[in-house]
Amino acid sequence: MIAEKLQKHIETLIRAQYQRIEKMKEDKEFIDYAALSPIVVGLIGGDGIGPFITNHTYQVLKSLLSKELAEGKIVFRQIDGLTIENRAKAARAIPEDVLEEIKACHVLLKGPTTTPRAGDKWKNIESANVAMRRELDLFANIRPVRVPEEDIDWVFYRENTEGSYVLGSHGICLDDELCMDFTVTTKEGSERILRAAFDYAVKSGKNRVTAVTKANIIKATDGKFLELAKVIAKEYPSVEFDDWYVDIMAAKLLDPKRRTQFKVIVLPNLYGDILTDEAAELQGGVGTAGSANLGKRYAMFEAIHGSAPRMVDEGRAAYADPSSMMRAAVMMLEHIGYAQQALELSTALDKALVSEKKMVITGRQDGATSQDFCNYVIELLNESK
Ligand code: IPM
Ligand code: MG
């Protein structure tokens, strides 16, 4: 009986994964933003502190892109339905109508969304992030971390559609005694993230890629990822390549003598999740870190952190740090071909967060509000004109 249940379950999962592989093989071309007019940017507030920091980032973008907006080259579209209340009510990670609205955009700027777990007041639905990354096939999660005074300049290429995440809601408890989860590595899925990392290493002149796995223990899936990394490294002779296990990598990110050698770091989904929070902490916290989730047709930009329900419960939502979203907005502008505006915004953020620091966000009443910080950034942008 148990064997039968397991067999049926696994067969369904395997079939779906082979279908995904076929789909990945079909999707070859990247969208060309230069050919689009207007570029439609979906603004998703999400929950918790999400609507606050998304709105403040939008205000900054409206000021920065006033010309492009007036000329109709860029259009912003509000998408409101991705709240935990709505998702729980629909018992879907992303309700159908919201997914349709999302898919009608070209790129998305997304606030954090609450991810329930067993025992929460919400139904234990799948994470909206994981669902969106899967539905839009956003395979490359790119997370830069910079601490110039420490000579840290890292760019993480986190695989975003496989690993422990893809079947994270499809594990199985056979009975009260035994539960199993599944981890997936595909050749196609690994190659595309590895190539993205190596291409970036060449294009950026960083010329160094580090793969992170636990291939000595997780032999099939991590083993495959590492084996493919070594094969692809050979296609890029100008790029120095090495590999580390995730445990010692977590330690070495804290070693001032070693860590400056890391440049581009490519890694499976879960390790990317964990190490990027650690890395962001060195930069000033997860509240300062933005990320790009890139696919061939869609791209989504977001903070690397969650919706911080604790901040909302404690009445501190207005004091949340919007700079993670603003950094994500810089990445979005770069991605859609607005390099000049991206540079203007990142320069203003560097000034606000590193050199001037006239307004410091602490996440509490003793710091600046997200709105004050937003106004300060707009002021800096106007000064530089
Ligand atoms: C992240 C977040 C998400 C993840 C959560 C919110 C599902 O931690 O983007 O790193 O685990 O990927
Ligand atoms: Mg995370």
Side-chain angles (χ1 to χ4, degrees):
M1 182 59 198
I2 286 182
E4 221 172 88
K5 185 174 165 189
L6 184 59
Q7 191 181 346
K8 253 183 126 179
H9 186 78
I10 290 183
E11 267 174 25
T12 315
L13 300 183
I14 291 177
R15 217 170 297 125
Q17 289 311 307
Y18 274 116
Q19 276 168 8
R20 202 172 59 78
I21 291 173
E22 285 316 307
K23 179 93 188 27
M24 280 192 274
K25 287 184 177 165
E26 280 163 24
D27 292 341
K28 287 287 174 220
E29 294 296 308
F30 276 93
I31 192 168
D32 175 13
Y33 295 101
L36 299 175
S37 191
I39 296 176
V40 181
V41 182
L43 284 173
I44 303 174
D47 354 273
I49 59 170
F52 294 83
I53 60 176
T54 308
N55 175 33
H56 297 138
T57 305
Y58 176 43
Q59 288 179 26
V60 165
L61 284 173
K62 268 200 298 197
S63 165
L64 179 67
L65 299 171
S66 53
K67 189 162 149 278
E68 290 75 13
L69 288 168
E71 288 169 352
K73 288 189 180 151
I74 294 183
V75 169
F76 284 101
R77 209 178 269 170
Q78 292 278 354
I79 299 175
D80 290 325
L82 205 65
T83 58
I84 184 66
E85 291 81 4
N86 241 350
R87 290 182 285 130
K89 200 166 106 212
R92 298 290 294 256
I94 307 178
E96 275 303 321
D97 53 332
V98 180
L99 186 59
E100 239 170 75
E101 280 181 72
I102 288 173
K103 285 189 169 172
C105 300
H106 298 116
V107 293
L108 300 139
L109 190 61
K110 175 186 155 298
T113 44
T114 299
T115 305
R117 62 176 179 190
D120 282 358
K121 63 177 170 177
W122 308 110
K123 194 177 160 52
N124 192 11
I125 48 173
E126 189 189 24
S127 143
N129 274 47
V130 174
M132 196 178 302
R133 291 166 186 167
R134 183 186 59 240
E135 290 294 332
L136 307 184
D137 202 22
L138 306 172
F139 66 89
N141 192 331
I142 302 165
R143 301 184 157 185
V145 168
R146 277 191 303 136
V147 188
E149 62 277 22
E150 299 279 342
D151 205 17
I152 290 174
D153 186 5
W154 300 326
V155 182
F156 291 84
Y157 270 67
R158 166 185 176 188
E159 200 294 317
N160 214 23
T161 48
E162 309 200 332
S164 331
Y165 275 66
V166 60
L167 298 176
S169 295
H170 298 273
I172 183 170
C173 287
L174 290 156
D175 52 28
D176 200 31
E177 303 281 341
L178 176 64
C179 293
M180 291 171 85
D181 274 308
F182 305 97
T183 299
V184 178
T185 294
T186 69
K187 181 165 184 277
E188 196 71 26
S190 305
E191 284 179 350
R192 61 184 185 173
I193 186 71
L194 288 161
R195 287 219 164 84
F198 276 93
D199 284 342
Y200 171 73
V202 172
K203 202 176 71 189
S204 62
K206 293 185 189 294
N207 286 321
R208 194 188 161 91
V209 171
T210 300
V212 177
T213 66
K214 188 75 185 174
N216 52 340
I217 303 297
I218 317 291
K219 292 189 191 282
T221 48
D222 279 7
K224 185 75 182 169
F225 191 89
L226 182 57
E227 174 197 318
L228 290 167
K230 288 179 180 166
V231 171
I232 290 190
K234 293 216 170 72
E235 292 173 16
Y236 296 82
S238 66
V239 177
E240 219 179 307
F241 171 74
D242 65 351
D243 85 276
W244 290 73
Y245 295 136
V246 63
D247 49 350
I248 189 66
M249 187 69 179
K252 288 300 158 191
L253 290 184
L254 305 181
D255 174 355
K257 285 201 279 306
R258 172 65 73 180
R259 66 185 173 194
T260 54
Q261 83 173 49
F262 301 124
K263 301 288 175 216
V264 180
I265 300 144
V266 63
L267 65 186
N269 210 337
L270 182 61
Y271 309 143
D273 178 48
I274 297 166
L275 289 194
T276 54
D277 270 18
E278 183 194 356
E281 196 63 27
L282 298 170
Q283 175 186 270
V286 291
T288 63
S291 70
N293 294 258
L294 306 186
K296 302 218 160 147
R297 162 69 180 81
Y298 294 101
M300 182 265 280
F301 301 83
E302 62 178 349
I304 76 161
H305 55 77
S307 59
R310 192 175 302 149
M311 287 192 79
V312 181
D313 291 347
E314 292 173 6
R316 296 187 284 120
Y319 297 88
D321 191 343
S323 61
S324 52
M325 284 290 281
M326 293 182 189
R327 294 279 186 204
V330 171
M331 298 181 84
M332 180 181 86
L333 292 169
E334 269 165 10
H335 186 70
I336 62 176
Y338 286 83
Q340 178 55 34
Q341 291 84 343
L343 183 65
E344 282 172 37
L345 181 51
S346 69
T347 308
L349 289 173
D350 285 345
K351 252 193 197 164
L353 294 162
V354 185
S355 53
E356 277 196 358
K357 279 192 179 171
K358 260 199 331 225
M359 214 169 268
V360 178
I361 297 201
T362 61
R364 301 180 180 277
Q365 270 85 342
D366 61 354
T369 63
S370 178
Q371 180 70 65
D372 289 341
F373 184 81
C374 158
N375 298 343
Y376 173 32
V377 172
I378 292 175
E379 233 173 74
L380 290 171
L381 284 171
N382 290 337
E383 268 171 28
S384 69
K385 286 232 160 97

